């Protein structure tokens, strides 16, 4: 479906200079004053990062860890199996090793244990001598499990970023920006919260050189981008500097992922958030989705002198990612087959099957939600329990709506746009009806196929100078979308289908009164624009990017939408 194009800031609809184009983009991001614009364009590590001790529970948690260090208490770092959780686990373990804390890690098996704390895991942790559990990227909904640990004389510190439940765990300390009224940045990822935790510890240890903390930012960038939190405020600064560190990473495991996966990341080329989101994070996620996240943890933790081991693990991870891609496509087709036989598309898509891989359903939910613009829950059926993941659309706070019907749910957790849970099959019809009733009117009043455009350009305005200005606005992602432009009346001078399976559309475009040409790429758009042909005239909506190929840099338009105006 062609979207309705809307040029934002109508008073500056046709930007006449590079400076005005940039100003339009900044205004569209609600940056009005020179101070706001400067802070956005020029992030400052020392200025932008908030004091970690503004977070509730931080001082108590730090004191307990320092006591554990003095007493030699063993600590279990309890992680999660996605890229955010894995990077957070590696980060805390690495820091604890540096400061001499006796610790080990536990990441649950997604298929056998689900997410967050569980009693069997606590039994295992007890048997390995831990006196203290520190969760990362999980634990905020683990009320009963924290009680169970306490009975075994194990204390718990929870570091998490997910939405707060009605009943908070009675942990020794809870570090969660959403539970901290005085902490300015509420939307840190799990790895971001973990980084603030080790930063507070570093501040409290005279012997630690705080300058070394920056070397953890490669992990922070990966986990933050992977978890799709808004890339504004403190997150923007963490990711901006984290991508720089990632290009120079000392972690042999990451270097081997780059090599094995042919990812164009090195000291001479700082990666984009898009590269992390679509290339690196899915590989790290594949371990926990297909088998066990320990593979990704071990790879990211591989010692510098074990490059051979890192390469073997990277190849194993690559194979799991390829398998993950195949399974994801298969389940998506099966879900769409179910949707085709419905009389109309429901306001909430909720589908399940005993055949569907539990580790993959979240990915499928995300793809379906994006394609059909509907909150989506995809579930695996097992022993009269449906368990899986949901993804929402921007205008629907899924977790808040689901919370109204929690009496129909065994367990759940997450945030506004993503959730996971277990649902008794006997309750699913009632739950689905309630969600449909609640969400349908919100979709009717809020859903829009409007495509916001930052500025209309001429072909002559598409220059490296403009591309360089746009690069300063990176990283792009949630909360800071990539700038979108419109050029009207372009001629298709050349058209090719490229990529594996010829799924991508590659165009060469020229203007009416210009000798300039623009290369454009439409990923997975070959079928969408199957009727497009050479010499057609089009209006193009696109994002302007710099493309690196064989050491040569060129400008490229990433196609977002187009309209054929004449054939």
């Amino acid at each position: 479906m062609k979207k309705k194009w809307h040029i934002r800031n109508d008073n500056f609809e046709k930007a006449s200079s590079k400076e005005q184009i940039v100003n339009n983009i900044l205004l569209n991001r609600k940056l009005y004053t020179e101070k706001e614009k400067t802070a956005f364009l020029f992030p400052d590590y020392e200025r932008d990062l908030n004091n970690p001790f503004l977070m509730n529970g931080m001082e108590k948690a730090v004191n307990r860890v320092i006591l554990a260090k003095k007493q030699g208490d063993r600590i279990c770092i309890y992680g999660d199996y996605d890229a955010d959780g894995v990077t957070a686990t590696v980060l805390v373990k690495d820091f604890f090793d540096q400061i001499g804390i006796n610790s080990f890690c536990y990441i649950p098996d997604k298929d056998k244990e689900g997410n967050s704390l569980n009693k069997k895991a606590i039994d295992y942790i007890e048997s390995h001598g831990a006196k203290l559990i520190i969760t990362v990227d999980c634990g905020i909904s683990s009320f009963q499990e924290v009680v169970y640990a306490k009975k075994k004389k194990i204390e718990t510190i929870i570091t998490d970023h997910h939405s707060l439940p009605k009943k908070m765990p009675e942990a020794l300390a809870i570090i969660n920006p959403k539970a901290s009224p005085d902490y300015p940045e509420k939307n840190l990822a799990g790895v971001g919260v973990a980084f603030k935790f080790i930063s507070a510890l570093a501040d409290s240890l005279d012997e630690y050189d705080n300058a070394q903390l920056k070397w953890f930012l490669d992990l922070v960038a990966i986990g933050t981008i992977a978890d799709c939190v808004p890339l504004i405020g403190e997150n923007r600064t963490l990711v901006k500097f984290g991508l720089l560190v990632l290009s120079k990473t000392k972690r042999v495991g990451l270097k081997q992922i780059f090599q094995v996966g042919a990812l164009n990341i090195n000291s001479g080329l700082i990666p984009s958030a898009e590269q992390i989101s679509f290339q690196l994070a899915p590989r790290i996620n594949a371990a926990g989705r297909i088998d066990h996240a320990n593979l990704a943890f071990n790879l990211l933790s591989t010692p510098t002198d074990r490059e051979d081991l890192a390469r073997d693990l990277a190849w194993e991870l690559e194979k799991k990612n390829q398998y993950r891609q195949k399974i994801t496509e298969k389940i998506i087709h099966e879900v769409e087959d179910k949707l085709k036989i419905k009389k109309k598309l429901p306001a909430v898509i909720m589908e399940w099957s005993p055949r569907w891989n539990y580790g993959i359903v979240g990915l499928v939910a995300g793809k379906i939600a994006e394609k059909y613009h509907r909150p989506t829950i995809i579930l695996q059926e097992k022993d009269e329990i449906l368990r899986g993941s949901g993804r929402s659309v921007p205008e629907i706070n899924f977790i808040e709506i689901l919370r109204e019907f929690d009496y129909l749910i065994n367990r759940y957790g997450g945030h506004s746009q993503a959730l996971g849970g277990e649902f008794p099959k006997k309750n699913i019809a009632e739950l689905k009806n309630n969600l449909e009733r609640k969400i349908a009117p919100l979709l009717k009043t809020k859903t829009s196929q409007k495509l916001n455009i930052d500025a209309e350009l001429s072909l002559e305005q598409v220059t490296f100078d403009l591309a360089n200005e746009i690069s300063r606005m990176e990283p792009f992602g949630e909360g800071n979308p990539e700038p979108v432009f419109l050029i009207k009346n372009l001629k298709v001078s050349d058209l090719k289908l490229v990529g594996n399976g010829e799924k991508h559309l590659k165009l060469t475009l020229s203007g009416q009164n210009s000798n300039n040409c623009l290369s454009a790429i439409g990923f997975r758009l070959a079928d969408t624009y199957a009727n497009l042909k050479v010499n057609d005239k089009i209006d193009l909506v696109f994002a302007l990017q710099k493309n690196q190929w064989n050491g040569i840099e060129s400008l490229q338009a990433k196609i977002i939408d187009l309209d054929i105006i004449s054939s």
Side-chain angles (χ1 to χ4, degrees):
M1 180 189 295
K2 181 184 177 297
K3 297 178 180 179
K4 181 180 178 181
W5 298 351
H6 171 69
I7 300 176
R8 304 166 75 175
N9 279 322
D10 292 336
N11 293 335
F12 304 100
E13 189 169 303
K14 185 87 173 182
S16 59
S17 68
K18 178 187 69 178
E19 290 74 21
Q20 195 171 24
I21 295 167
V22 172
N23 191 54
N24 280 6
I25 297 168
L26 297 177
L27 289 173
N28 292 340
R29 279 139 191 78
K30 298 181 179 180
L31 301 168
Y32 302 117
T33 69
E34 287 305 311
K35 183 178 180 180
E36 289 172 331
K37 293 173 185 178
T38 300
F40 178 80
L41 292 172
F42 304 100
D44 183 281
Y45 185 81
E46 303 298 335
R47 178 196 68 205
D48 297 344
L49 265 57
N50 299 306
N51 181 351
F53 286 99
L54 291 175
M55 229 179 283
N56 287 356
M58 188 66 79
E59 186 173 357
K60 195 170 187 179
V62 166
N63 289 339
R64 178 62 183 90
V65 172
I66 290 174
L67 179 63
K69 184 176 184 292
K70 290 178 180 177
Q71 295 180 165
D73 292 341
R74 199 168 195 213
I75 297 175
C76 174
I77 304 158
Y78 195 102
D80 197 15
Y81 39 71
D82 65 3
D84 188 17
V86 169
T87 52
T89 307
V90 173
L91 181 148
V92 176
K93 174 60 176 165
D94 192 354
F95 180 77
F96 279 6
D97 287 349
Q98 289 182 21
I99 65 174
I101 285 181
N102 181 8
S103 67
F104 67 99
C105 298
Y106 188 99
I107 301 176
D109 183 302
K110 180 168 187 175
D111 186 52
K112 296 176 182 176
E113 300 175 78
N115 63 340
S116 204
L117 288 166
N118 65 82
K119 292 181 179 179
K120 286 186 177 180
I122 293 169
D123 290 342
Y124 174 90
I125 291 164
E126 180 192 32
S127 71
H128 282 69
K131 302 294 184 184
L132 174 65
I133 296 171
I134 299 175
T135 72
V136 292
D137 192 34
C138 65
I140 197 65
S141 297
S142 300
F143 183 88
Q144 295 295 340
E145 291 78 9
V146 170
V147 171
Y148 185 75
K150 191 180 293 186
K151 288 178 180 177
K152 292 179 171 290
K153 301 189 184 310
I154 301 173
E155 294 178 299
T156 305
I157 293 171
I158 291 171
T159 78
D160 201 352
H161 71 119
H162 292 100
S163 295
L164 307 179
K166 292 179 181 178
K167 194 174 185 180
M168 299 277 278
E170 295 176 355
L172 175 72
I174 294 176
I175 301 171
N176 185 323
K178 293 180 176 66
S180 303
D182 295 333
Y183 196 79
E185 180 56 75
K186 305 299 181 190
N187 293 309
L188 290 172
V191 70
V193 178
F195 180 73
K196 302 306 293 189
F197 173 54
I198 68 164
S199 298
L201 273 166
D203 285 343
S204 305
L205 296 170
D206 293 336
E207 67 271 24
Y208 192 83
D209 178 9
N210 279 28
Q212 297 304 308
L213 286 174
K214 289 183 181 178
W215 286 106
F216 289 101
L217 292 177
D218 51 359
L219 298 172
V220 177
I222 295 167
T224 299
I225 294 167
D227 220 52
C228 297
V229 296
L231 297 185
I232 54 177
E234 189 170 19
N235 283 334
R236 173 173 168 77
T237 301
L238 289 170
V239 171
K240 184 87 171 181
F241 287 95
L243 291 173
L244 176 61
V245 174
L246 184 59
S247 71
K248 303 175 180 180
T249 187
K250 298 177 181 179
R251 301 180 194 280
V252 66
L254 285 173
K255 290 179 180 179
Q256 287 302 318
I257 295 176
F258 302 161
Q259 288 187 23
V260 168
L263 308 188
N264 199 14
I265 300 174
N266 54 60
S267 59
L269 191 62
I270 300 171
S272 67
E274 187 176 45
Q275 281 179 282
I276 307 308
S277 184
F278 290 99
Q279 297 177 4
L280 180 55
R283 286 172 164 83
I284 295 171
N285 274 325
R289 294 189 189 282
I290 298 302
D291 188 3
H292 199 291
N294 281 345
L295 170 60
F297 172 84
N298 291 335
L299 176 54
L300 297 186
S301 303
T302 304
T304 305
D305 60 351
R306 291 300 313 275
E307 189 171 329
D308 57 333
L309 173 61
R311 189 162 185 81
D312 288 345
L313 294 174
W315 273 113
E316 187 178 348
L317 189 65
E318 187 71 14
K319 291 173 184 175
K320 291 193 185 299
N321 186 53
Q322 291 170 356
Y323 179 68
R324 186 270 309 167
Q325 291 171 324
K326 293 178 183 177
I327 296 297
T328 302
E329 288 298 320
K330 183 174 184 294
I331 298 175
I332 287 172
H333 289 316
E334 291 183 17
V335 171
E336 292 189 314
D337 286 343
K338 288 173 177 278
L339 294 178
K340 287 175 184 175
I341 63 175
K342 297 182 185 296
K343 291 181 179 179
K344 68 173 186 175
L345 190 67
V348 180
I349 296 172
M350 184 180 282
E351 300 294 341
W352 60 89
S353 168
R355 299 188 306 275
W356 294 347
N357 185 305
Y358 179 53
I360 301 297
V361 291
L363 279 178
V364 175
K367 298 283 188 183
I368 296 294
E370 181 180 9
K371 181 173 181 177
Y372 294 95
H373 199 82
R374 292 290 189 273
T376 301
I377 300 177
I378 304 297
L379 304 159
Q380 179 198 62
E381 180 181 352
K382 189 175 183 180
D383 301 328
E384 295 301 307
I385 295 293
L386 303 177
R387 58 181 191 152
S389 299
R391 299 292 184 268
S392 193
V393 293
E395 67 268 21
I396 304 295
N397 188 325
F398 216 172
I399 197 76
E400 288 299 323
I401 292 174
L402 198 69
R403 191 168 284 141
E404 295 182 35
F405 311 110
D406 58 5
Y407 58 92
L408 297 170
I409 307 168
N410 283 355
R411 58 187 296 167
Y412 69 100
H415 43 81
S416 66
Q417 297 298 293
L419 56 87
E422 291 185 358
F423 310 86
K425 189 177 181 181
K426 64 181 181 180
N427 295 344
I428 206 72
E430 183 180 353
L431 177 63
K432 193 174 188 303
N433 289 337
N434 285 336
L435 292 175
E436 187 80 12
R437 173 176 51 81
K438 188 78 177 179
I439 289 173
L442 300 176
L443 284 171
K444 285 178 182 177
T445 56
K446 293 184 178 180
T447 298
S448 172
Q449 289 295 312
K450 183 169 67 175
L451 175 57
N452 286 320
I453 296 167
D454 286 289
E456 182 181 344
L457 307 180
S458 66
L459 192 55
E460 290 76 19
Q461 289 175 301
V462 178
T463 64
F464 273 103
D465 282 348
L466 178 58
N468 290 334
E469 289 294 325
I470 292 169
S471 295
R472 288 164 56 189
M473 301 177 191
E474 294 180 359
F476 302 124
E478 292 292 322
N480 181 33
E482 191 170 14
V484 175
F485 302 108
L486 165 67
I487 300 181
K488 291 182 177 179
N489 206 18
L490 292 168
K491 179 184 175 181
V492 179
S493 301
D494 190 35
L495 184 155
K496 296 177 182 176
L497 302 182
V498 297
N500 187 20
E502 298 188 334
K503 295 178 181 178
H504 311 315
L505 182 67
K506 187 172 179 61
L507 306 177
T508 301
L509 303 168
S510 57
Q512 270 189 322
N513 304 311
S514 171
N515 294 322
N516 294 353
C517 287
L518 177 63
S519 176
I521 185 76
F523 295 109
R524 295 182 177 271
L525 292 180
D527 289 341
T528 304
Y529 300 113
N531 59 334
L532 185 67
K533 58 186 182 298
V534 172
N535 292 326
D536 282 353
K537 296 286 184 64
I538 66 170
D539 292 341
L540 177 71
V541 178
F542 66 100
L544 180 60
Q545 299 180 335
K546 290 185 287 186
N547 185 44
Q548 287 270 357
W549 182 253
N550 289 335
I552 299 173
E553 190 173 60
S554 61
L555 293 178
Q556 177 176 271
K558 184 180 73 174
I559 300 171
I560 297 173
D561 202 4
L562 64 82
D563 187 23
I564 302 172
I565 55 177
S566 68
S567 298

